[in-house]
Amino acid sequence: MQKTQASTFMVKSSVDPACTRQFSALFLDYLGQKPELAAFYNQFPAIGNFGKLIQERRFDKVRRERLVRVLQEQYAGIALGEMSSHQIISLADDNTFTVTTGHQLNLFTGPLYFIYKIVSTINLAKKLGDAYPGYHFVPVYWMATEDHDFEEINYFKLDGKKYQWKSDQKGPVGDFVWDGGFKEFLKEVSAFAPEFFLQAYQSSRNLSEAVRKYVHHLFGEKGLLVVDGNHPELKKALIPILKADLLTHDPYTLATAQTQRLDELGYKSQIYPREINLFYMQKGLRERIEKVGDIYKVLNTDIQFTQEGIIEQLESHPERFSPNVVLRPVYQELILPNLAYLGGPAEVAYWLQLKSMFDHFEVPFPALLPRNFAVILDQSVDKKIAQLGLQDTDLFESVLDWKRKFVEHQASVDFQMETEKAQLSALFQKKGAEAAALQKSLQNAFEAGKVRALKILEQLSDKVRKAEEKRLEIQIKRRTDIQSFLYPGGSPQERTENMMRFFLAKPKLLDELLEMFDPLDFSYMILRTDAQQSAN
């Protein structure tokens, strides 16, 4: 565990991800480069391995020019600085490659780890540029505009309060427009939300446009480009794979076999491939396609196609077909000159289920990197940590386990009474044996008496323990306060709190994170916002 002061107001320390108890065995074994997993990915994300990825990632001029053209269209209406304009144009160059992360269209960025994903991706592009100066690397945020799970993204949490947009709109969330529910939501948050957020929403036609604007405001000058895969020109590249999905179910067969191999190694699946991994999408509609007999049906609608009809529809309107989690990764790699994907632990794990599908369709498999993981501590909670003498690894221990050990260590009396219990047990055993010489049944009576006596002693032990806990209630409350800060609502801070929890007090937060994060260091970071705090 190492601590370094690397910024004006933050101190960083780190722990092994395994000690946090937040990650699956598959994820940890991947980070540990367990030999049995080597067949499930291409190159492990070490800086020296990217040279191999660059050599195998040739991307033809037609696809590059199409990508530039689409991005220029998608950024129309946004004032681009010199950096963003250069980044878009650079994608036409054979020596330019991308590194990518993806996420849903959360309101006001949603949980902190959305920010962590993007910061990690920007920093990876920078590290690659330093290591491979003959090439240019562009960080990309892939907007999940086609997602239809509105309940997952229609809120954010700040200081324990949930701010929610209630709407009855259906279909891909990127198309959602501002209704009465959104106006009420925006009115509620406008008292504290930074102006650039409000401007992004108020000046946009729909959710995808607003997210592009605020992400561009936050990270555009750091080189980040925002890509929306929901575009007919881009989806043309996916048509051959979508045909295979509809007609011969190759993605299902390949991903299922890969998943079974992981299962045989004892790992749990993250995703479950279907025979058809596509949704049919129109305005206000995104529903799964299923084949029933010879007919392709769009679930929960009256829409259906013959085989000839659905292929004709695919070729003439590819934008109406939306890939699910099985096909989205290969779609991304078809339209981007991509070298790496950065995601959370579940994302890294499910990409490992897809390598054989990439090989089958001759699409290069990118390096898989976990985005950086972190918890931010403010001065008040860090003071409580110091008062209790907690080490960094102690922060991830359950409060119950900590309390048990703490009370035992700090107790003014021996409430466990182990010596007394042993003495009492020995006494009953000895006297029972003596009494049995007079009458055999007396031994059973002494044994029953021993059980009752030990139970009474145990009850007294519990009473003394509770008295000790009462005496130590200030320290115990400090520990529960720390837990609530690290795990608000029972979930890790980075999966719950919004960036504004720290950004409103520290406007330079993103610059600090960019300085702190190292995308090739897979440790779990603890960031203290008071640079004067001493190391644990």
Side-chain angles (χ1 to χ4, degrees):
M1 187 164 47
Q2 184 178 10
K3 177 164 289 185
T4 58
Q5 182 169 329
S7 71
T8 57
F9 71 86
M10 277 190 178
V11 171
K12 177 173 74 172
S13 59
S14 59
V15 297
D16 189 301
C19 86
T20 69
R21 302 171 178 84
Q22 296 179 19
F23 304 104
S24 69
L26 176 56
F27 179 75
L28 294 173
D29 286 347
Y30 172 69
L31 294 187
Q33 301 183 64
K34 191 172 182 179
E36 291 87 341
L37 292 176
F40 294 87
Y41 58 91
N42 183 1
Q43 298 291 333
F44 189 77
I47 196 70
N49 290 340
F50 278 90
K52 303 170 189 175
L53 291 164
I54 290 169
Q55 293 307 312
E56 69 181 38
R57 196 66 173 100
R58 293 308 171 192
F59 207 69
D60 65 68
K61 204 71 175 174
V62 172
R63 285 189 288 175
R64 287 184 177 278
E65 291 175 351
R66 179 180 59 205
L67 179 60
V68 171
R69 188 168 60 250
V70 169
L71 279 171
Q72 289 173 333
E73 176 188 323
Q74 292 185 344
Y75 272 89
I78 297 178
L80 295 182
E82 184 178 343
M83 168 64 83
S84 298
S85 298
H86 169 72
Q87 293 290 73
I88 293 174
I89 294 171
S90 74
L91 290 168
D93 192 319
D94 288 341
N95 286 335
T96 296
F97 298 93
T98 62
V99 292
T100 303
T101 193
H103 201 65
Q104 297 163 297
L105 306 187
N106 293 90
L107 299 178
F108 287 81
T109 74
L112 272 166
Y113 75 89
F114 170 77
I115 297 296
Y116 296 171
K117 277 185 167 184
I118 293 180
V119 170
S120 302
T121 306
I122 291 171
N123 279 354
L124 179 61
K126 184 177 184 304
K127 286 185 82 76
L128 291 175
D130 292 341
Y132 298 92
Y135 299 92
H136 182 60
F137 304 92
V138 176
V140 168
Y141 161 49
W142 179 286
M143 290 198 299
T145 59
E146 298 176 35
D147 193 342
H148 64 180
D149 197 342
F150 182 58
E151 295 302 315
E152 283 194 0
I153 62 101
N154 70 349
Y155 67 93
F156 70 90
K157 292 181 179 179
L158 181 60
D159 292 331
K161 183 174 180 180
K162 184 176 183 178
Y163 298 88
Q164 187 171 20
W165 171 16
K166 296 180 180 179
S167 177
D168 59 2
Q169 296 179 69
K170 304 294 182 184
V173 296
D175 291 340
F176 278 29
V177 297
W178 315 139
D179 54 13
F182 183 80
K183 292 174 183 176
E184 287 298 315
F185 161 78
L186 204 60
K187 182 179 179 182
E188 185 179 14
V189 303
S190 60
F192 59 81
E195 181 61 29
F196 71 85
F197 273 127
L198 301 177
Q199 179 64 25
Y201 287 108
Q202 292 166 348
S203 66
S204 299
R205 298 164 297 174
N206 56 33
L207 185 57
S208 62
E209 186 177 328
V211 172
R212 181 187 298 276
K213 286 180 179 177
Y214 75 60
V215 171
H216 176 70
H217 175 89
L218 290 169
F219 298 108
E221 287 308 304
K222 305 298 182 183
L224 184 78
L225 292 181
V226 179
V227 173
D228 182 355
N230 186 13
H231 193 284
E233 282 297 305
L234 297 179
K235 284 193 174 176
K236 286 179 180 178
L238 191 57
I239 288 176
I241 294 177
L242 297 192
K243 283 183 179 179
D245 187 71
L246 288 166
L247 301 179
T248 57
H249 312 311
D250 291 345
Y252 167 76
T253 302
L254 294 160
T256 298
Q258 186 95 331
T259 299
Q260 288 174 347
R261 287 193 287 272
L262 284 169
D263 289 343
E264 289 166 2
L265 291 173
Y267 300 113
K268 293 182 179 179
S269 301
Q270 292 293 326
I271 58 173
Y272 299 92
R274 297 180 181 274
E275 286 194 348
I276 296 178
N277 296 282
L278 287 171
F279 293 84
Y280 189 74
M281 193 167 65
Q282 291 180 348
K283 182 70 174 177
L285 171 71
R286 185 177 184 257
E287 292 286 351
R288 197 159 54 81
I289 300 170
E290 266 195 7
K291 188 177 182 182
V292 182
D294 295 329
I295 299 299
Y296 293 85
K297 293 188 175 184
V298 180
L299 298 186
N300 302 313
T301 74
D302 296 327
I303 303 171
Q304 59 183 40
F305 302 95
T306 63
Q307 178 172 300
E308 294 77 12
I310 201 165
I311 296 303
E312 180 182 350
Q313 181 82 179
L314 173 61
E315 291 177 340
S316 57
H317 294 287
E319 72 278 6
R320 295 180 183 174
F321 293 82
S322 178
N324 74 356
V325 68
V326 173
L327 293 180
R328 188 206 62 78
V330 74
Y331 175 39
Q332 169 191 298
E333 300 303 309
L334 278 172
I335 65 175
L336 296 175
N338 200 49
L339 300 180
Y341 183 78
L342 295 90
E347 288 178 285
V348 170
Y350 80 64
W351 274 74
L352 296 176
Q353 295 177 238
L354 305 177
K355 171 70 162 51
S356 60
M357 182 180 68
F358 276 76
D359 293 343
H360 176 79
F361 291 112
E362 298 182 343
V363 178
F365 196 78
L368 296 180
L369 284 84
R371 49 92 178 168
N372 284 123
F373 303 96
V375 62
I376 301 175
L377 307 179
D378 65 19
Q379 295 179 38
S380 64
V381 76
D382 201 30
K383 181 180 179 181
K384 293 174 182 176
I385 291 170
Q387 288 170 331
L388 292 176
L390 298 176
Q391 300 298 308
D392 284 347
T393 53
D394 297 333
L395 301 179
F396 303 96
E397 184 179 29
S398 77
V399 171
L400 288 177
D401 288 343
W402 171 85
K403 184 170 73 170
R404 175 181 54 78
K405 291 188 290 187
F406 178 76
V407 173
E408 288 174 6
H409 185 263
Q410 297 292 326
S412 58
V413 297
D414 177 20
F415 60 82
Q416 291 181 306
M417 295 185 266
E418 296 296 343
T419 300
E420 289 79 3
K421 289 175 186 176
Q423 291 172 343
L424 185 64
S425 180
L427 177 63
F428 271 92
Q429 193 147 350
K430 177 184 176 184
K431 292 302 179 182
E434 294 173 358
L438 297 173
Q439 184 178 328
K440 191 172 183 179
S441 62
L442 287 175
Q443 188 164 18
N444 292 335
F446 272 83
E447 185 64 29
K450 182 183 76 171
V451 171
R452 290 194 299 272
L454 288 173
K455 186 172 183 180
I456 291 170
L457 206 56
E458 188 65 37
Q459 290 171 344
L460 292 173
S461 174
D462 288 341
K463 288 180 181 293
V464 178
R465 169 185 275 276
K466 289 177 182 177
E468 289 284 8
E469 290 178 2
K470 179 69 174 175
R471 184 177 67 84
L472 298 168
E473 63 181 347
I474 292 176
Q475 293 94 321
I476 292 172
K477 186 177 185 306
R478 285 177 185 150
R479 184 62 184 89
T480 56
D481 289 345
I482 294 167
Q483 185 76 1
S484 296
F485 191 89
L486 269 62
Y487 294 87
S491 295
Q493 180 197 81
E494 62 176 18
R495 304 192 69 84
T496 306
E497 287 285 5
N498 183 263
M499 64 169 280
M500 285 187 283
R501 170 69 178 80
F502 303 101
F503 182 82
L504 294 176
K506 302 287 187 183
K508 295 293 186 182
L509 173 69
L510 302 185
D511 290 334
E512 294 287 339
L513 295 179
L514 284 162
E515 187 176 342
M516 288 287 184
F517 282 17
D518 179 351
L520 297 176
D521 179 356
F522 307 134
S523 301
Y524 195 107
M525 290 181 292
I526 300 167
L527 305 177
R528 289 171 166 83
T529 58
D530 180 4
Q532 302 307 312
Q533 283 287 348
S534 59
N536 280 341

